[in-house]
Amino acid sequence: MAILCLSAGEPIERDTLRKLLWPGRYPAQAKASLRQCLLNLGKVLAPLGRDVLLVTRSSVAIRTDAIMVDLREVSAPDRPILVEFDLGEPFAHWVAARRAEIERTNPIGDRPPIPARLIDRPADRRGVAILPFRSASPSGEQDYFTDGMVDELITALSGVAGLQVAGRTSSFHFRDSTMTPAQIAAALGVSHLVEGSVQRQGEKVRIHVHLVDGASGFELWGSRFDGVLDDIFELQEAVARGVTEALAAALGIALQPPVVGNLTHSKQAYDLYLQGRTLNARLFGDGVMTRAAELVEQALAIDPDFAEAWVLLGDVHQRMGIYLAGYDPGEASMRMAACVRKALAIKPGLGHAYGLLALHEFARNNMVGALDLAFKGYEVEPNNPAVTVRIGGLLLFCGLTRRGMEFLDQAIDRDPADGRHYMVRSAGQLNLGRIDAAVADAQRCVDLGFPSVWLGVALAAAGEHERAVEAYQQSRYAIASSIPPPSGTGPMPPAMIDAYWDVAARGVCSGKPEDREAYCRTLDFLHLSMQDKEHQAITLPAVFMGYAEMLFKTIGTRITLQNLACLMSIWTKVDPMCQIWQHPEFIPFAQRIGMADVWEKYGWPDLLPMPSNRA
């Protein structure tokens, strides 16, 4: 594969490959070896879903549009290419010639930086993913407890300097997966996997843990840990230390011991907390978030000093304000802020709490304060992808796309199976004019099970209007329930919902002026009739259709947890969205909502021309 990549897409004769790789074999044997090698390589590349190899009867090559070769990394002076392979003189001469050619055409000082969006999985990453453990409970009633043990193990290892740990969402994406360990490790960009099981019987807990090599799938280490609920945090720390020591041995490096704090003095409160966290992770489902809030509130009634439970309750209120129809997002923001302030008063080092409080301040038009809080969260908890993606999103909202993308890439690198990260980055790709990348990220978001209207918008920007209309309509099945009906009316019947989403999808994605005009008039009606006149059902399509006047009188009146995300899509050159930032009233709008204050402290927007009169 290295030979093919370093040949820059030029076909290599089969006879040349045979002589390079099997110099001492008879021609018939070498032919058979090459044939089998290409067969195996094709199987390895098959999951990519496209033909990477171009194989003929006389030659072999790769498709250069399917593979990106990072010559700057593989030809660094301290790591010459293919130096670890000794296959004879013909191979050595070929490698020397290629190395000289690379240095001639790509001198070290002239090599351009690699586009950040192409660096998704560092090849030398010392990373680990803790996969969901098996629960010994046949009925599944203890699954939440088992998931909680994995959550705490992820948190503990994430605090170990020098170790990259895949985020929870990505690890749990592979629950009950039929993929091989090597395939999972490759998908998550890690070198090792941790598997295990949890058995809970009354007060006793038994945890089996195994460290697996991500390349070979072989078990490198395994151990059993026994404890009781009264000492559950000591048990978790013992497991985390055992895994860390095994990883250090496998990687050949020194790692500091992880620390697991005592979250609460009450095992009952901890049990309720784990149940609430499991429900909150589901996000969608009737009554899920309400029940999650009830469970966490019960835990806090038992132990009011349970800081992590206060953060979780704040996160539940945040999600309720976004996704739960009829729950006032302003009230949700106030409750969220109250919860996280209590958490930070107890334990100041909770990065996610700062990120949630940043959302509250953003909704209060204190956008500078919001970014200050988000960066504070990153300072205390830099390895948490939820913290990192929060900064990236806030920067996108304010037009600082290039800077925001750095943090979004970090979040995806740590948590590559969280669809919401790809949704935000898709908007960023569109802002930077990377239309194909925007489509790919939006599709990845949908493939990971998170509905995204941004797929339709990206496809429309790519000129694929029919696909765009269909993709936009598909999101209705997950988010229609979050749209309240107009004041004084009941839920819309199915036929009316179908008609509405048809008008919406065509208005945003068809590219036809008459469809856009029809949907703008629909938004006018919704703005008049809905109780929540700043609902994202109005603000988000207003952005997508470049309906600046509607955006200014909605977001310009009140920013909420629910509608603030639409701001990340106003910063693009794509018509008609670009009509918003090009509108003569845009600068006064930005000053009114506090966005212009961000530009004074954090830098001018990437796309917006700086005015000659800053006043």
Side-chain angles (χ1 to χ4, degrees):
M1 190 63 185
I3 290 173
L4 295 176
C5 288
L6 294 172
S7 298
E10 290 295 324
I12 301 180
E13 295 297 319
R14 281 177 174 258
D15 188 57
T16 300
L17 287 171
R18 290 194 292 265
K19 291 177 180 178
L20 288 176
L21 297 174
W22 299 279
R25 295 190 185 180
Y26 291 108
Q29 291 177 316
K31 286 182 180 179
S33 296
L34 177 60
R35 191 181 309 115
Q36 186 62 44
C37 180
L38 292 172
L39 179 63
N40 292 340
L41 187 56
K43 291 179 180 178
V44 171
L45 298 173
L48 296 179
R50 59 192 304 181
D51 294 325
V52 175
L53 298 181
L54 298 174
V55 181
T56 69
R57 297 183 64 180
S58 60
S59 66
V60 183
I62 60 167
R63 287 178 49 183
T64 54
D65 62 336
I67 295 291
M68 192 278 289
V69 182
D70 188 353
L71 294 180
R72 184 179 67 177
E73 291 294 321
V74 301
S75 61
D78 60 341
R79 187 170 51 184
I81 58 173
L82 299 176
V83 70
E84 66 272 31
F85 291 94
D86 183 10
L87 301 177
E89 286 191 10
F91 183 82
H93 289 314
W94 184 90
V95 170
R98 286 301 302 140
R99 189 179 303 153
E101 177 65 12
I102 291 169
E103 291 300 323
R104 185 182 66 81
T105 57
N106 292 278
I108 294 291
D110 297 334
R111 291 175 194 168
I114 312 163
R117 65 188 181 88
L118 295 179
I119 313 175
D120 283 338
R121 304 291 177 270
D124 59 349
R125 179 173 181 175
R126 294 168 173 171
V128 62
I130 296 90
L131 300 182
F133 285 11
R134 299 183 306 279
S135 173
S137 172
S139 63
E141 62 184 13
Q142 294 296 323
D143 286 355
Y144 73 91
F145 183 82
T146 300
D147 289 350
M149 298 302 100
V150 175
D151 279 329
E152 297 306 328
L153 184 56
I154 291 173
T155 300
L157 294 183
S158 295
V160 176
L163 186 63
Q164 300 284 352
V165 182
R168 181 198 192 278
T169 304
S170 294
S171 293
F172 278 71
H173 179 74
F174 293 94
R175 188 196 297 273
D176 301 324
S177 174
T178 58
M179 295 172 64
T180 66
Q183 290 171 326
I184 295 175
L188 294 176
V190 296
S191 57
H192 293 81
L193 303 172
V194 174
E195 300 174 335
S197 63
V198 177
Q199 182 179 3
R200 176 181 172 184
Q201 290 184 334
E203 296 294 302
K204 296 181 179 179
V205 180
R206 172 170 291 175
I207 302 177
H208 289 271
V209 188
H210 310 277
L211 179 66
V212 178
D213 182 84
S216 66
F218 293 143
E219 181 178 323
L220 303 177
W221 168 86
S223 187
R224 189 186 82 186
F225 299 85
D226 293 315
V228 295
L229 290 179
D230 284 336
D231 299 320
I232 190 64
F233 301 118
E234 288 83 352
L235 175 61
Q236 290 173 357
E237 184 161 345
V239 173
R241 285 175 177 262
V243 171
T244 304
E245 290 172 1
L247 271 169
L251 295 170
I253 60 175
L255 294 173
Q256 68 182 46
V259 177
V260 176
N262 290 332
L263 304 187
T264 175
H265 60 76
S266 169
K267 60 186 178 184
Q268 183 181 358
Y270 186 61
D271 194 80
L272 290 165
Y273 165 79
L274 293 180
Q275 294 181 56
R277 185 164 65 176
T278 297
L279 289 178
N280 188 50
R282 293 183 187 176
L283 192 60
F284 297 113
D286 292 339
V288 166
M289 288 178 284
T290 302
R291 179 57 180 160
E294 293 173 352
L295 290 166
V296 182
E297 287 169 350
Q298 292 174 29
L300 288 166
I302 298 170
D303 182 5
D305 293 327
F306 193 167
E308 286 78 8
W310 281 116
V311 177
L312 176 59
L313 185 58
D315 194 51
V316 173
H317 282 304
Q318 179 237 168
R319 296 188 181 206
M320 292 171 72
I322 296 174
Y323 301 108
L324 194 61
Y327 189 38
D328 179 63
E331 179 67 21
S333 185
M334 294 294 292
R335 292 184 179 182
M336 174 189 72
C339 289
V340 297
R341 287 192 181 110
K342 289 180 180 178
L344 290 171
I346 299 166
K347 191 177 293 186
L350 300 172
H352 186 40
Y354 287 103
L356 292 173
L357 195 56
L359 290 180
H360 175 67
E361 291 302 317
F362 199 94
R364 295 178 63 240
N365 301 116
N366 180 17
M367 297 186 183
V368 170
L371 273 167
D372 290 345
L373 285 166
F375 278 105
K376 175 65 175 178
Y378 185 74
E379 177 184 327
V380 300
E381 204 173 346
N383 295 327
N384 188 338
V387 173
T388 310
V389 77
R390 184 79 68 223
I391 298 177
L394 292 176
L395 289 169
L396 254 66
F397 297 166
C398 298
L400 307 176
T401 300
R402 295 188 184 280
R403 198 168 172 193
M405 291 292 276
E406 297 174 9
F407 292 96
L408 295 176
D409 288 338
Q410 287 182 40
I412 289 177
D413 190 44
R414 296 184 185 281
D415 208 353
D418 191 329
R420 291 164 292 185
H421 298 348
Y422 291 94
M423 177 185 70
V424 181
R425 195 172 72 170
S426 175
Q429 306 283 26
L430 205 60
N431 293 350
L432 297 176
R434 303 168 181 167
I435 307 300
D436 290 344
V439 173
D441 274 347
Q443 184 63 62
R444 179 66 173 151
C445 170
V446 173
D447 291 343
L448 290 168
F450 197 86
S452 174
V453 292
W454 274 268
L455 177 57
V457 174
L459 286 168
E464 300 185 46
H465 295 290
E466 290 187 9
R467 281 185 63 199
V469 169
E470 182 181 356
Y472 196 94
Q473 287 176 325
Q474 291 300 314
S475 62
R476 56 161 288 194
Y477 297 105
I479 66 176
S481 60
S482 68
I483 302 177
S487 300
T489 66
M492 289 190 294
M496 187 177 294
I497 293 177
D498 290 342
Y500 168 79
W501 278 93
D502 182 66
V503 171
R506 294 187 182 283
V508 171
C509 301
S510 74
K512 298 179 180 178
E514 60 271 24
D515 289 339
R516 176 182 178 274
E517 180 65 22
Y519 194 25
C520 284
R521 301 291 73 81
T522 300
L523 295 186
D524 289 338
F525 169 75
L526 290 176
H527 186 256
L528 287 172
S529 59
M530 287 179 64
Q531 184 173 357
D532 183 357
K533 299 186 183 303
E534 297 83 28
H535 195 279
Q536 67 174 353
I538 301 172
T539 60
L540 192 57
V543 169
F544 292 153
M545 294 190 300
Y547 191 0
E549 295 82 5
M550 178 60 73
L551 185 71
F552 296 162
K553 66 182 179 182
T554 50
I555 291 276
T557 301
R558 186 174 73 131
I559 298 176
T560 69
L561 294 176
Q562 188 187 72
N563 66 25
L564 57 83
C566 74
L567 289 173
M568 65 185 174
S569 289
I570 65 178
W571 301 102
T572 175
K573 293 181 180 179
V574 176
D575 191 57
M577 287 181 279
C578 63
Q579 295 180 26
I580 292 175
W581 62 265
Q582 293 174 350
H583 196 281
E585 290 300 313
F586 178 73
I587 293 294
F589 160 76
Q591 292 174 319
R592 189 166 69 249
I593 65 175
M595 187 182 293
D597 296 335
V598 171
W599 305 339
E600 292 294 337
K601 181 171 183 177
Y602 285 97
W604 195 255
D606 302 320
L607 196 61
L608 195 64
M610 186 177 292
S612 57
N613 180 3
R614 295 297 295 277

